[in-house]
Amino acid sequence: MSPKLSPPDAPSNRFSDGVDFRNVVGILSRRRSWVIGIPAVLCGIVVAYLLVAHPSYTGTAQVFVDPRDQYTPKDDPLQNSVPGDGLLLVESQLKIITSNEVLNRVIDQLNLQNDPEFNGERITIGRLVKSVIGLGKTEDRALVTLRNLRKNVATKRIDRSFVIDILASADTAPRAATLANAVATAYLEEQSGANAAFQRRTSESISSQLGKLRQEVKRGEEAVAAFKAANNLVGSRSRMVSEQQLDEANTQLTNAKTRLADAQARVRLIETIEHGDAGLEALPEAIQSAAIVQLRSRLADVSREEAQLAQIDGPNHPALQAARAQVRDAQAAIQRELKNIARSVRNSEASERTNVQNLQANFEALKKQSQANEQAMVPLRELERKAESSRVVYETFLAKAKTAEERQGIDTTNIRLISRATTPENKSWPPTMIMLAAALFAGITIGIAAALTRDAFDRPEREPDPGAVPDAPTLAPAETAAPSVLRPAMAQSRASRLAALGDELLAAPKGTTIVLVQVQRGAWLSDVALQLARGLIANRADVMLVDADLARHPTTSRLGFDRVPGLRDVLIGAADIHDVVRLHQPTAMRVVPVGLSAIGSRDPYARQALSAALKQLRAFDRVIIDGGEMGETASELGLYYMADEVVFLAEAEGGKCDDAEILVELLRHRQIKARVVIVEPDVSVAA
């Protein structure tokens, strides 16, 4: 290849890429009037506004809103709790404070309708301008006052608390404090009035239902009484008379059966005594009988007298005979008394048997009557339940009505003023220092931007030839080692300029790999790889284009392969080089796009993978690698040492081109073929 350099006296034929920030200080020094003048103008405007603006002072009052309402002794404290953390309730109070009801109270209290600060009658520049151009209109004073007051009143909740700041602005500091306190007082009065109104509406609403509920209770109780009378059901609410009679009859029958069993036992004892050898004297009734005891005592006395007479008198003595007659009479009396006792026991057993039979018959009759009443009790209980439910509802409403009536005069809202507004020391608007600092900062920023922009527009530019094609590069390859061999590149056509480098590649051996590296960033520099590949394909060469510009990858974007795997995936081992080769149908060009994966810097595996991939790609006639901008990923991956030739593309000599020359020398020192090529925009120059 014959080296070629651009002529040293050739004028710069490129358009400016922007401001050279190395000369920023010089630009700002030359155009210091912009940097100083614009901040001065803005500061002057701010000062003029500060002189004519009405000062504003802000007073702050604080109220505490407890989500839990106060409760009376009749209330359950848990019923007054607010679900959640109560922040929604507090946020709602912010809107209530600035509501029309509260603000109208303030207007009436402070007579703001006659205050020029709020009623819209104060003379201002804006109002004068509107009057002059005919835009002024007459509005209702009350609405204007309300609107202006709402603009001057603001509320906010202190973070992580239930405390609300009430902010009020006015032209004077005392007026601001008075206005803030008036808004807080009006808010508390409005809440108290709203609570009383709510209790009153509740009492009236409940009272209106009491008459209806009272009639329902009356109808229910009358239905129960009528049903009892129709079915002959007598008794209290809990128990009927028939049930009580049945229980009493059952108790009497049980007791009678017990007594009958006892009487039957005594009769069996008498029968046993009568059939045995024992006498009736063994009967418990005989032992306990007072008459038997008396007769036995008499018998003992007579027997003793008989014994005494028998010792004194003879057996036929009349006195002895009389005594013996008395003994026999006493014994006969005892036997008669024992028979009477036995007869009485038998009569008692018969009486108890008759009583049990009568009680059993009465119990059966009551039992049948109770069964009949049970069937009638089913609808009766239903009627009683309805009457009872109506009675409970009526009593509940009656108690609520009484409670609401008593609570009309009690404020249950738990909102209180915890801090009254004091006279503010400093004005809140306009913020003098902040506005001056902002004007100075904005002025300096705008001044610097304006100076740099003006300098960019004032730099001389050469008008492009209308017949030229922008973005198509002109290649003037030149090896720095032989600058004496020159060709007139400016007079060559675009095709011949690209063909020069293309012819050199066509003449190279099969599998030759060339890396194109941009010394500076430029649109025409990034287009050289595509133009060179198209020229080789036109000469029927099997070309592989590899996009190794991992930072910007313009080649991949132009060909539409941004969303497919590519070189990055090969470098991390996620894909094979043959799997990522893509065919660009319009140009029949084979391309390895940049890929999708992310790779780390200085990855030794990436170098090995790149070296293996390039060895496989040498099967193609030529391999063109777009290495991106100098100093980026291409050098880190060791790409310069894997290629047959490294070509540095520069716009002009000097600057970064000198750095490229040094890099070329280093590569040549390591036996790597390298050179610098000057690339210019493709414009035609008349001979």
Side-chain angles (χ1 to χ4, degrees), residues 375-437:
Q375 296 179 357
M377 287 295 293
V378 174
L380 176 62
R381 292 193 184 98
E382 180 66 23
L383 293 176
E384 288 179 343
R385 282 193 294 269
K386 291 182 179 179
E388 183 64 23
S389 62
S390 299
R391 186 183 304 105
V392 171
V393 173
Y394 171 71
E395 292 175 353
T396 302
F397 269 70
L398 186 61
K400 288 182 177 292
K402 184 64 176 177
T403 302
E405 183 179 357
E406 293 176 354
R407 293 176 61 177
Q408 289 184 19
I410 302 175
D411 186 8
T412 59
T413 58
N414 202 0
I415 302 175
R416 63 182 183 273
L417 180 64
I418 61 175
S419 177
R420 296 184 63 83
T422 58
T423 303
E425 297 180 357
N426 301 319
K427 61 182 180 180
S428 58
W429 184 264
T432 304
M433 299 305 299
I434 295 177
M435 293 185 67
L436 288 176

Side-chain angles (χ1 to χ4, degrees), residues 133-162:
I133 63 178
L135 295 179
K137 59 180 180 179
T138 303
E139 294 181 307
D140 182 63
R141 177 180 292 185
L143 294 178
V144 174
T145 304
L146 180 61
R147 182 170 61 249
N148 291 334
L149 179 60
R150 181 175 284 110
K151 292 179 181 178
N152 290 358
V153 175
T155 58
K156 67 176 182 179
R157 181 180 65 85
I158 299 178
D159 293 340
R160 304 178 67 84
S161 71
F162 295 141

Side-chain angles (χ1 to χ4, degrees), residues 146-421:
L146 180 61
R147 182 170 61 249
N148 291 334
L149 179 60
R150 181 175 284 110
K151 292 179 181 178
N152 290 358
V153 175
T155 58
K156 67 176 182 179
R157 181 180 65 85
I158 299 178
D159 293 340
R160 304 178 67 84
S161 71
F162 295 141
V163 177
I164 296 176
D165 284 344
I166 301 177
L167 310 174
S169 302
D171 291 346
T172 61
R175 189 63 181 278
T178 302
L179 188 60
N181 291 328
V183 173
T185 303
Y187 165 64
L188 296 178
E189 293 175 353
E190 177 64 24
Q191 288 298 98
S192 178
N195 177 72
F198 172 75
Q199 298 295 343
R200 184 173 57 257
R201 291 194 304 270
T202 302
S203 177
E204 293 174 354
S205 177
I206 294 175
S207 299
S208 63
Q209 298 292 327
L210 289 179
K212 179 181 178 181
L213 295 175
R214 189 183 300 110
Q215 293 298 325
E216 290 182 358
V217 172
K218 182 179 179 181
R219 286 195 296 269
E221 292 180 348
E222 289 177 350
V224 171
F227 186 85
K228 286 183 178 180
N231 292 273
N232 196 21
L233 298 175
V234 181
S236 60
R237 292 183 180 178
S238 60
R239 200 172 189 189
M240 302 301 297
V241 174
S242 59
E243 295 179 355
Q244 298 177 1
Q245 292 176 348
L246 182 61
D247 291 343
E248 294 175 359
N250 185 33
T251 303
Q252 294 175 1
L253 179 60
T254 302
N255 294 335
K257 287 182 177 180
T258 302
R259 292 193 301 271
L260 176 61
D262 184 54
Q264 289 176 346
R266 293 198 302 271
V267 170
R268 285 195 296 273
L269 179 60
I270 292 172
E271 292 177 351
T272 302
I273 291 174
E274 290 178 348
H275 291 86
D277 296 333
L280 294 177
E281 293 84 356
L283 286 175
E285 289 80 356
I287 297 172
Q288 299 174 0
S289 175
I292 295 296
V293 172
Q294 185 178 4
L295 290 174
R296 285 179 177 175
S297 176
R298 179 183 174 187
L299 177 62
D301 294 340
V302 174
S303 297
R304 186 170 51 255
E305 183 180 359
E306 179 188 6
Q308 292 176 356
L309 291 175
Q311 291 178 1
I312 299 173
D313 298 330
N316 296 319
H317 193 278
L320 181 60
Q321 293 295 328
R324 289 178 176 172
Q326 289 179 0
V327 170
R328 287 193 298 272
D329 291 339
Q331 291 176 347
I334 290 174
Q335 292 299 321
R336 286 194 301 271
E337 185 63 26
L338 290 175
K339 291 180 180 179
N340 291 334
I341 291 174
R343 189 180 302 109
S344 175
V345 170
R346 287 189 174 91
N347 292 337
S348 176
E349 186 269 341
S351 176
E352 290 296 336
R353 183 181 294 108
T354 303
N355 186 31
V356 168
Q357 293 175 352
N358 294 333
L359 291 176
Q360 184 68 38
N362 185 35
F363 177 77
E364 294 297 332
L366 291 175
K367 184 176 179 181
K368 292 180 180 180
Q369 182 181 359
S370 177
Q371 292 175 351
N373 290 340
E374 283 295 330
Q375 296 179 357
M377 287 295 293
V378 174
L380 176 62
R381 292 193 184 98
E382 180 66 23
L383 293 176
E384 288 179 343
R385 282 193 294 269
K386 291 182 179 179
E388 183 64 23
S389 62
S390 299
R391 186 183 304 105
V392 171
V393 173
Y394 171 71
E395 292 175 353
T396 302
F397 269 70
L398 186 61
K400 288 182 177 292
K402 184 64 176 177
T403 302
E405 183 179 357
E406 293 176 354
R407 293 176 61 177
Q408 289 184 19
I410 302 175
D411 186 8
T412 59
T413 58
N414 202 0
I415 302 175
R416 63 182 183 273
L417 180 64
I418 61 175
S419 177
R420 296 184 63 83

Side-chain angles (χ1 to χ4, degrees), residues 513-674:
T513 302
I514 181 173
V515 178
L516 302 179
V517 182
Q518 304 172 29
V519 177
Q520 301 99 350
R521 183 177 299 181
W524 50 85
L525 296 180
S526 60
D527 194 46
V528 172
L530 281 173
Q531 295 292 336
L532 188 60
R534 290 174 182 172
L536 294 177
I537 292 175
N539 287 277
R540 300 183 180 278
D542 191 8
V543 179
M544 172 60 66
L545 178 59
V546 180
D547 188 357
D549 187 356
L550 305 183
R552 294 182 294 120
H553 48 81
T555 301
T556 298
S557 300
R558 291 180 184 177
L559 297 179
F561 294 138
D562 288 319
R563 300 180 180 274
V564 297
L567 184 61
R568 290 177 177 173
D569 304 276
V570 174
L571 295 180
I572 67 171
D576 187 73
I577 187 65
H578 295 293
D579 298 333
V580 299
V581 175
R582 296 288 184 268
L583 176 63
H584 187 245
Q585 296 290 346
T587 60
M589 184 186 305
R590 289 183 174 85
V591 182
V592 176
V594 72
L596 303 174
S597 302
I599 62 172
S601 60
R602 304 186 182 278
D603 187 355
Y605 178 80
R607 290 194 176 200
Q608 297 176 6
L610 180 61
S611 177
L614 292 181
K615 289 180 180 179
Q616 298 182 47
L617 292 179
R618 290 181 183 274
F620 290 86
D621 293 341
R622 305 293 181 271
V623 180
I624 301 175
I625 302 176
D626 184 358
E629 190 174 352
M630 184 178 65
E632 293 186 351
T633 313
S635 61
E636 295 179 0
L637 294 175
L639 184 61
Y640 298 165
Y641 306 100
M642 303 176 190
D644 297 321
E645 183 178 6
V646 180
V647 177
F648 293 93
L649 305 175
E651 295 181 357
E653 296 180 353
K656 290 187 176 182
C657 187
D658 295 338
D659 299 336
E661 298 275 1
I662 296 174
L663 187 56
V664 167
E665 292 298 330
L666 293 175
L667 293 175
R668 287 177 177 174
H669 182 70
R670 296 195 176 188
Q671 306 300 320
I672 299 174
K673 186 177 181 181

Side-chain angles (χ1 to χ4, degrees), residues 675-687:
R675 57 176 168 164
V676 177
V677 175
I678 306 300
V679 182
E680 301 171 331
D682 185 16
V683 294
S684 299
V685 180

